[in-house]
Each structure stands twice: as C-alpha cells, then as structure tokens.
Amino acid sequence: MQILKNIMVGFAISFLGSLPLGFLNVVGIEVYGALGLKGACLFILGIILVQAIVCYYTLIFVNELLQNKNLMKWIEIFGIFFFLIIAYIFYNHTGDPAHGGGYLESYHGWPIFWVGAFLNSLNFLQIPFWLVFHLYFINKKYIEVNNGLKFYYVGGTMVGVFCGMLLVIYFLGKIAKEVSFLTDYIIPIILPALFVIMAIFQIYKVYTKYYFKKAKVS
C-alpha cells in the first residue's frame, strides 16, 4: 500500500509541476513541431534523466535535514514563501505557445535527448521546489523513504513529468484552441489557488508547531 502511495504522490506533484507553460514546455512544443511525437518523447526523457537525479539527492538531503530541528524550523518557514512563489509562477507563466520559437537553432546537431537533459540542468528552480515538497510530504507522512521506498516515489515523479509535459506539448502544440480551458482556467486559476491553500496550511502548521506553545506558556 505504501508503495502505491509513494508512486501516486510522486506522480501527482510532478504532473502538476510540469503543466505551466514555461521555457521547457515551449521548447518541447518546438521539438514536437520539428521532430514529431518521437522527438518530443526523447526530449522529455532527457529532462527526466536530470529530474530523477535532482529528485533523488534532494530527497536524501531532506531526510538528513529532519534530524536538525533548528534548521528545520527555518526551512518550514521558507516553505510558506515558496508555495506562494510557485502559485505566482503558475498564475503568471501562461501564454500562447506560438510566441516561442527558434530555441532549437542554438543546439543544431545535438541529439534531442541531450538537449532536454542540458536545458533541465539549467533549471535551478527545481532544487528548492523538490526540497520544499519532500519536506512537506515526509512531515505529513504522505511518503516513506526507508527500505527502498524512495525509489518508488522517484519513479512516480518521472512518470508524472513525462505525462504532464507530453500532455502540454501535444495538446498545446497541436490543438491548442480546443483545449483553451487548460490555459484559461486550470493553470492560471485553479492550480495557484491550490498552492495558496497549501501556503496557508503551512502557516498554520508552523505557528502551532513553533509559536503556539510559547504564546500559551507566556
């Protein structure tokens, strides 16, 4: 049961995280137009290679951080602001894929798999993204990372990114007008609202964990 839970949590967060029309998805749409579905899949697999490495090592790092209570307090406080930043990114990074283009010219002759891997290695925002969510999921016991269970979680994130990016690249690159609800409502409205709710919940958790008892004693 915990294996399935790890897979589903990893899939859900990485699927949602791959939906905003950011730089990698814009390049993916260009790849799909130039090389077709096979090229798009290879591009996404390159992205997944780097993501799996980042996800795995940030998960191990967070598991070690849990032993440092003082540092954990500040990381959890940072998590509040990070959820709000992610909400803003979802709200702001939505637009017309037709505005992108020409990115592949800089990587002429590169295998498309390695283009995806290289571009994702420049995506430094994914490091705090994974740190905060690993911390959140472990603290809330949504995932377990002992006895090899972390590999099922990482595997779930890989599948989630693949499915999420392929959905955006295919539909927005091929029939964007027919799925306008995705860019008009789900990404700029519903998903930011979910992250704002998570930020509010994180505020409540930090207050009750670190400040409520002190206020009650005084």
Side-chain angles (χ1 to χ4, degrees):
M1 186 65 182
Q2 187 59 53
I3 289 176
L4 181 60
K5 189 176 181 181
N6 273 25
I7 293 172
M8 294 306 297
V9 170
F11 176 89
I13 189 57
S14 59
F15 181 85
L16 293 175
S18 65
L19 290 182
L21 192 59
F23 176 72
L24 289 176
N25 281 335
V26 170
V27 178
I29 291 169
E30 187 179 349
V31 171
Y32 176 75
L35 302 175
L37 186 60
K38 180 180 178 180
C41 289
L42 289 172
F43 175 75
I44 297 171
L45 289 174
I47 290 172
I48 289 174
L49 171 66
V50 175
Q51 182 229 271
I53 295 171
V54 173
C55 182
Y56 176 78
Y57 283 104
T58 52
L59 186 63
I60 292 176
F61 181 63
V62 164
N63 202 35
E64 294 295 326
L65 281 178
L66 288 171
Q67 311 304 319
N68 190 325
K69 301 300 181 182
N70 188 51
L71 184 58
M72 281 297 303
K73 173 184 175 180
W74 294 107
I75 292 177
E76 291 187 59
I77 292 174
F78 170 76
I80 296 170
F81 296 99
F82 189 75
F83 283 137
L84 294 175
I85 292 170
I86 292 295
Y88 174 77
I89 290 173
F90 272 71
Y91 176 78
N92 191 54
H93 285 65
T94 305
D96 186 353
H99 294 164
Y103 294 111
L104 287 181
E105 295 177 3
S106 302
Y107 306 99
H108 180 70
W110 285 40
I112 199 61
F113 174 89
W114 293 111
V115 173
F118 175 73
L119 292 179
N120 197 31
S121 68
L122 302 178
N123 181 22
F124 298 110
L125 183 62
Q126 65 183 314
I127 296 176
F129 176 91
W130 287 117
L131 284 174
V132 169
F133 278 104
H134 293 338
L135 177 63
Y136 181 80
F137 292 146
I138 292 175
N139 271 336
K140 300 303 295 180
K141 300 189 184 301
Y142 291 141
I143 63 172
E144 295 286 343
V145 296
N146 298 321
N147 300 322
L149 288 171
K150 57 180 171 291
F151 294 108
Y152 293 98
Y153 170 73
V154 173
T157 67
M158 295 169 68
V159 177
V161 167
F162 184 86
C163 293
M165 288 198 67
L166 194 61
L167 176 74
V168 172
I169 289 171
Y170 179 80
F171 282 102
L172 295 187
K174 193 175 183 64
I175 50 174
K177 293 182 180 179
E178 297 183 23
V179 291
S180 60
F181 70 95
L182 184 67
T183 54
D184 291 342
Y185 298 103
I186 295 180
I187 294 175
I189 298 175
I190 297 176
L191 293 183
L194 288 176
F195 283 107
V196 169
I197 291 172
M198 291 179 71
I200 294 172
F201 181 77
Q202 183 75 357
I203 292 172
Y204 171 79
K205 188 181 78 170
V206 169
Y207 176 75
T208 55
K209 184 175 182 180
Y210 296 107
Y211 299 102
F212 178 73
K213 291 182 180 180
K214 292 182 179 179
K216 193 174 181 180
V217 170
S218 60

